[in-house]
Amino acid sequence: MTDSVQAMATRYFRHRENPFLSELVRAARSGRHRGEDLSADDAAGALHLVPDVRHDLDRAEVTLIEAVLDRGWTWEQLGAEYGNRSKQAMQQHYRRRGGKRSWPGKERPPRAESPHRLTDEDLDPADVAKVREAISALLATAHDVAETHTVDGVWTAGEPILEEISTVGLDPLPRLEVACRTAAKAIEDMVVAGWERRDPGRSERCRQSWTVRLEDEIRDLASWLDREPQGRPLPRADRPVTVGTTTAERADHVEIAAEDVEQVREAISLTLARLEAHRAVVDQIIDELRRRQAELS
């Protein structure tokens, strides 16, 4: 091949004549003698043959891959042999070439059950259903929040998907917080109940550890702070409280309307009772640690 197009192509193919390109050129020459130069029209004609040839080549590659896998090779073996690809890369290569088949993986020996993992037998189907419902609510709410946009700084969105969330009557982001807490609580309840079913009395034995008790109190207090005080008329700032005509925070004091006084007193009493209960547990832990400290003296 002496024409300029073929000479240039030969250089691109590492200074050797490429038989595949030669076949395309031969088909495009349409009966011309070998010594005749290849025109631009001839090269364009050869170019038009490429898509069909590429399709045939892809089908040939897919067929060969399938033949190898049908004879017992794994994706890992094939990938290492064919371009030093990983299993995932080899599978992607096969799919990109139009391959659609799949092969069952090698049978693996059954995994021994770990004593540190719960099994299906440990879980109450009712608890599992609650987790599924809570996660569905979380996904639906996340989608709802993601579709929300702002107009003049105000959140706007369609109706929430689940009635439990829509009745909360909150903006999208607080709704998402509610859904996250609900899902986390459902999962925690399912796991705790599962361990108790497998090992009755486990929860009580765990609470013999002061770290577990303190962790429970902190988590419970945090959950309560997120939920209860927000809707109660509690003074927030450390300022003197006076009875007046309106309920509002002033620069140097907190004013409580006369008609709200009894409600505020009740809210303060309930809050104090809750905090006292948590403090009692913390005081017990402090006493316990002091006894251990004294025993080491």
Side-chain angles (χ1 to χ4, degrees):
M1 291 184 174
T2 58
D3 59 79
S4 58
V5 174
Q6 288 175 288
M8 180 182 67
T10 299
R11 289 197 300 274
Y12 276 108
F13 284 103
R14 300 178 184 176
H15 304 287
R16 63 179 175 81
E17 182 176 311
N18 184 272
F20 176 66
L21 180 62
S22 299
E23 290 298 325
L24 287 178
V25 169
R26 192 172 293 111
R29 292 177 68 88
S30 302
R32 284 187 174 83
H33 295 297
R34 186 177 182 83
E36 295 182 42
D37 189 23
L38 184 69
S39 68
D41 289 339
D42 293 333
L47 190 62
H48 281 294
L49 298 175
V50 171
D52 290 336
V53 174
R54 179 180 290 119
H55 176 72
D56 292 339
L57 187 61
D58 287 345
R59 286 306 310 152
E61 187 174 7
V62 165
T63 300
L64 291 173
I65 290 173
E66 292 173 349
V68 171
L69 293 173
D70 283 342
R71 284 156 180 77
W73 280 40
T74 65
W75 286 108
E76 290 89 343
Q77 289 175 307
L78 181 58
E81 179 72 19
Y82 192 38
N84 196 26
R85 295 179 171 93
S86 67
K87 170 184 174 180
Q88 290 77 14
M90 192 66 232
Q91 289 174 330
Q92 292 170 359
H93 179 82
Y94 170 71
R95 300 297 179 195
R96 283 196 296 269
R97 295 298 181 271
K100 298 179 180 179
R101 289 178 55 189
S102 60
W103 287 260
K106 291 184 177 179
E107 293 187 2
R108 299 179 180 177
R111 184 176 60 184
E113 292 184 0
S114 169
H116 305 294
R117 296 177 65 91
L118 293 173
T119 64
D120 293 342
E121 290 73 17
D122 299 317
L123 303 179
D124 187 336
D127 291 337
V128 176
K130 290 179 181 178
V131 170
R132 185 180 293 112
E133 180 182 359
I135 292 177
S136 297
L138 174 58
L139 293 175
T141 306
H143 179 270
D144 183 54
V145 171
E147 292 297 322
T148 302
H149 61 281
T150 58
V151 177
D152 296 330
V154 178
W155 283 98
T156 61
E159 288 297 321
I161 297 175
L162 297 179
E163 184 178 355
E164 292 83 357
I165 295 175
S166 65
T167 55
V168 176
L170 299 175
D171 288 337
L173 290 181
R175 283 209 319 273
L176 184 58
E177 293 178 13
V178 170
C180 286
R181 287 200 301 268
T182 302
K185 183 66 165 54
I187 293 171
E188 181 183 5
D189 290 346
M190 179 185 69
V191 171
V192 170
W195 280 115
E196 191 65 24
R197 189 173 291 104
R198 172 186 283 192
D199 183 12
R202 181 179 186 274
S203 298
E204 192 58 36
R205 291 195 301 273
C206 286
R207 285 187 62 81
Q208 293 177 4
S209 167
W210 68 267
T211 56
V212 172
R213 280 177 283 147
L214 185 59
E215 185 178 86
D216 287 346
E217 293 301 313
I218 292 173
R219 184 166 53 245
D220 187 55
L221 181 59
S223 176
W224 174 77
L225 282 172
D226 282 341
R227 184 179 65 255
E228 293 295 337
Q230 306 304 323
R232 297 184 182 276
L234 284 166
R236 298 290 191 264
D238 186 13
R239 299 171 188 155
V241 176
T242 62
V243 179
T245 58
T246 60
T247 298
E249 289 192 6
R250 307 301 182 185
D252 57 351
H253 70 283
V254 177
E255 182 178 346
I256 304 296
E259 62 269 20
D260 293 336
V261 168
E262 191 58 38
Q263 188 179 7
V264 173
R265 281 177 177 168
E266 181 183 1
I268 293 175
S269 296
L270 291 173
T271 301
L272 284 173
R274 187 64 180 249
L275 295 176
E276 291 286 354
H278 289 296
R279 187 172 73 172
V281 175
V282 173
D283 287 342
Q284 291 172 3
I285 293 173
I286 291 174
D287 290 342
E288 178 182 329
L289 291 176
R290 283 175 175 167
R291 289 196 300 272
R292 301 293 84 81
Q293 189 179 48
E295 292 168 355
L296 294 173
S297 299

